[in-house]
Amino acid sequence: MATTSLSHVYTDTHLHYTHIVPLDFAAVDDLPESHTWTNTHTTRAGGGGLHLPAAVPTINLRSPSAAALVGDACREWGMFQVTNHGVPAGLVEDVEAHARRLFELPAEQKLKAVRAPNGATGYGVARISPFFTKLMWHEGFTIMAGSAVEHAKLLWPLHYHEFWDAMDNYQKKMKSLAYKLFLIILKSLGYDEDNQETSLLSASLNQSEGALQLNSYPSCPNPSRAIGLAPHTDSLLLTILHQNDTNGLQIFREGGVGWVPVTPLKGALVINVGDLMHILSNGCFPTVYHRVVPNETRRHRFSVAYFYGPPADSTVAPLVAVGRQFPRFRAVTVREYIGLKNKHLEKAIGLIKI
Ligand SMILES: O=C(O)CCC(=O)C(=O)O
Ligand SMILES: [Fe+2]
């Protein structure tokens, strides 16, 4: 039975942080040296290969062909946007407004909810920061397993309910959308929900908590020399992302294409395949390498990412029965994989290859 929560796993396998507190962005006029990246890191254009960078597909989830299109998008891109997803627009707007309200608090107020050095939740720099020598033009706030209420009480002692209710509601909606997408994706791999090979994983997803990550990329004085969020892949099965109407998210395409923008589309949510889904699909779906560059027109970008995966003690292994392939990865527990990722970042996936 799954007993360990994701937040415990992140606490147990925490990285060594020299900085947890983000820069007080409102207090600086110029890009500090600590946040200035070299041109090789900040290059925005594609590599000028043979293909023009096409856009990430957008899928209307109510369309009769949605399931087939989701399968195609997972194989070809590992990412797509969805419309008619059933998450009320008002709730998404509410969550974005709460995120904005949180990040616009004075720096000393935000510190009341700062992430503990070995902690998983609260206010702080990006979790991948220790892998890079330069700091990112970013501040984040992580919510796991009901942590929102404790932090909201610290930030807004009299009105904590509003933040908590919105985050709680949003997480529930995200969880059911993620499960719906998971089933569609399983089907595209040739599996039903109650197939013997997938039934355990499907059942464990009922107990999944997931994690919610609020991201803020303030207006940047020198966007061409800064990085919002350094390139990475997401670790769990699927990520559901809401971005405000501000550019910045990019995905890396092979074949000389390079970085392709994921343009915000009003009312749409961005879905991306994470490492565990890459493993489950036996490498059939790419896990998406993505990053955020600071907005060039100096707009403040906000995003809300929901990371969806099975509980920490669940095992994920490639589904190979239908295609009669050989497994390309060994089985891993979520806990073990997060531990590997926290030590080796994108090299983690290579370590479980057979
Ligand atoms: O802000 C974004 O658009 C992407 C955020 C992201 O990649 C993450 O939180 O893992
Ligand atoms: Fe990400």
Side-chain angles (χ1 to χ4, degrees):
M1 225 35 245
T3 49
T4 316
S5 71
L6 268 187
S7 56
H8 280 116
V9 173
Y10 278 102
T11 306
D12 291 349
T13 62
H14 73 274
L15 291 156
H16 179 72
Y17 289 88
T18 41
H19 290 86
I20 292 178
V21 179
L23 183 68
D24 181 1
F25 296 99
V28 293
D29 292 328
D30 298 313
L31 189 70
E33 193 49 42
S34 54
H35 288 69
T36 306
W37 293 59
T38 64
N39 283 334
T40 26
H41 286 106
T42 55
T43 307
R44 287 166 184 250
L50 292 176
H51 312 281
L52 284 174
V56 165
T58 301
I59 301 169
N60 172 356
L61 277 190
R62 283 211 206 111
S63 130
S65 50
L69 294 173
V70 165
D72 292 349
C74 283
R75 262 171 256 271
E76 171 61 23
W77 288 83
M79 183 182 260
F80 50 99
Q81 304 214 42
V82 287
T83 57
N84 283 317
H85 42 63
V87 183
L91 178 60
V92 180
E93 283 162 20
D94 211 24
V95 165
E96 183 187 314
H98 279 293
R100 182 184 285 272
R101 194 156 71 103
L102 188 157
F103 290 118
E104 285 178 350
L105 288 171
E108 67 275 13
Q109 181 73 7
K110 288 186 275 195
L111 289 186
K112 292 186 177 162
V114 77
R115 197 165 75 220
N118 65 347
T121 60
Y123 178 68
V125 296
R127 193 168 297 285
I128 56 175
S129 297
F131 290 98
F132 302 90
T133 49
K134 295 292 182 165
L135 294 166
M136 299 171 213
W137 201 258
H138 165 270
E139 51 187 338
F141 188 90
T142 312
I143 295 167
M144 281 183 204
S147 68
V149 64
E150 295 315 319
H151 283 130
K153 278 181 184 167
L154 297 170
L155 294 170
W156 302 285
L158 299 178
H159 303 288
Y160 65 91
H161 254 284
E162 294 155 27
F163 179 84
W164 176 36
D165 285 348
M167 297 303 149
D168 212 41
N169 243 325
Y170 189 72
Q171 273 177 289
K172 286 186 183 127
K173 291 276 190 263
M174 288 294 111
K175 185 172 168 177
S176 66
L177 174 60
Y179 190 62
K180 180 172 160 184
L181 288 165
F182 175 74
L183 294 184
I184 293 176
I185 289 171
L186 271 193
K187 217 165 195 159
S188 81
L189 288 168
Y191 288 81
D192 284 324
E193 186 177 359
D194 49 6
N195 181 290
Q196 220 186 340
E197 220 184 327
T198 57
S199 59
L200 207 63
L201 184 63
S202 302
S204 77
L205 282 168
N206 273 329
Q207 295 152 43
S208 149
E209 314 143 7
L212 202 60
Q213 172 74 23
L214 312 181
N215 294 306
S216 152
Y217 310 90
S219 167
C220 180
N222 190 350
S224 63
R225 298 300 306 280
I227 285 285
L229 196 55
H232 65 281
T233 60
D234 294 343
S235 303
L236 303 184
L237 285 173
L238 289 173
T239 303
I240 305 179
L241 182 92
H242 162 67
Q243 37 181 353
N244 75 338
D245 56 348
T246 303
N247 284 318
L249 176 63
Q250 300 180 328
I251 63 167
F252 192 79
R253 296 283 280 164
E254 301 291 344
V257 177
W259 291 104
V260 174
V262 183
T263 309
L265 203 64
K266 194 169 168 50
L269 292 165
V270 178
I271 314 296
N272 73 266
V273 163
D275 298 351
L276 293 183
M277 184 62 87
H278 176 66
I279 297 167
L280 193 71
S281 72
N282 202 26
C284 195
F285 304 154
T287 175
V288 185
Y289 201 46
H290 56 285
R291 70 176 186 180
V292 177
V293 291
N295 186 263
E296 284 184 34
T297 54
R298 302 203 52 174
R299 287 171 59 87
H300 194 150
R301 173 185 165 81
F302 296 95
S303 73
V304 181
Y306 175 75
F307 304 113
Y308 180 68
D313 295 320
S314 310
T315 299
V316 174
L319 297 173
V320 289
V322 168
R324 294 210 179 83
Q325 311 143 331
F326 291 110
R328 291 174 53 197
F329 304 96
R330 69 172 171 82
V332 271
T333 63
V334 175
R335 166 207 293 280
E336 184 192 359
Y337 189 71
I338 290 172
L340 286 172
K341 195 78 187 275
N342 280 349
K343 250 200 198 132
H344 305 284
L345 201 60
E346 77 256 37
K347 294 194 185 75
I349 200 92
L351 298 175
I352 59 158
K353 274 204 172 121
I354 295 176

